[in-house]
Structures are given as structure tokens and as C-alpha cells.
Amino acid sequence: MRQLLLFCVGGVLGFIVDAGVLQILVSGFAWDRFSARLISFLCAATATWLFNRNLTFQGMRNHSRFGEWWRYIFAMSGGFACNFATYSALVLAFDVDGAHLPLAVAAGSVAGLGVNYFASRYWIYRSKPQA
């Protein structure tokens, strides 16, 4: 239960990074809402990886740092597919833009939470069998 709660705290951190980078790219640099979301996802996934490797799944190392990051990004892609589908549906259906984009990011984050947790817990940071 502790891991799930910490994973959710990391998810809140990821949401803040995701929504913040998205807002900066869309409002500050006039990026479109979809291209900007790909960049914001990579930033958020990297932030959650750092949080989760150091706090949520502390000490569970099965790969090099780069190998772990790459696997984490790959694993989060499944959750991101759910996330991006939800985000895109809301953006397109309700023409979400500007200051309301974080609402679509939040809905997407909730949609991908379960997939991301299980990918992290049972693939990236699974315990090695005892010999």
C-alpha cells in the first residue's frame, strides 16, 4: 500500500511537470496542444522516474541507470496511450485550450494511472526471485 501511495505522490509531481511544460509550450511558444503534450510527457515521465526510483521503489535495481530510464519510459508508454487518448478526446470534443489544458492533462493522468503502476511494480522494479 505504501508503494501505491508514493506512486500516486510521484504522479502528482508528474502532473505538475506535465501541465507546466504543456502550458509553457502552448501559451509561451505557440506550440500546438498535441506536439507539446509529447514533450511534456517525456519531461513528466522523467520526473516521475526520478521520484519513483529514489522513493517509491527504493533499492530495487535490476538495470543500469540508463537501462532503467529507457524501460521506464517504454513502460509508461502504455499508460500514456490511455492518458493521451483521454486528453485528446477532451481537447477535441470540448475545444480545450489555454488555462483549461491542465484539466485534460489531469483526466488523462487518472486514465493511465493503473497501467503505469503495474508496469512499474511488476516489470521495472519487480523483485528478483531468491536463489
Side-chain angles (χ1 to χ4, degrees):
M1 184 57 109
R2 179 183 181 278
Q3 281 183 339
L4 179 59
L5 290 173
L6 281 171
F7 192 82
C8 290
V9 170
V12 170
L13 170 69
F15 165 75
I16 292 166
V17 171
D18 199 346
V21 170
L22 181 68
Q23 282 295 111
I24 289 167
L25 292 175
V26 171
S27 298
F29 294 98
W31 281 44
D32 72 86
R33 299 169 289 183
F34 301 101
S35 298
R37 190 68 208 286
L38 297 174
I39 301 302
S40 70
F41 160 72
L42 285 173
C43 294
T46 299
T48 60
W49 168 68
L50 288 168
F51 181 90
N52 287 323
R53 94 178 303 268
N54 291 308
L55 295 170
T56 307
F57 302 107
Q58 186 176 1
M60 301 170 117
R61 302 288 171 263
N62 298 321
H63 310 285
S64 69
R65 183 171 283 147
F66 178 75
E68 182 182 297
W69 176 82
W70 182 89
R71 283 172 177 80
Y72 188 84
I73 296 299
F74 181 75
M76 296 305 103
S77 296
F80 181 67
C82 299
N83 185 323
F84 194 73
T86 302
Y87 169 84
S88 297
L90 291 171
V91 166
L92 293 172
F94 300 104
D95 196 29
V96 177
D97 204 1
H100 295 102
L101 281 174
L103 297 173
V105 173
S109 296
V110 171
L113 172 67
V115 173
N116 288 341
Y117 177 74
F118 283 103
S120 293
R121 176 69 183 98
Y122 296 105
W123 185 47
I124 305 300
Y125 298 107
R126 73 175 177 264
S127 299
K128 288 185 176 182
Q130 298 296 324

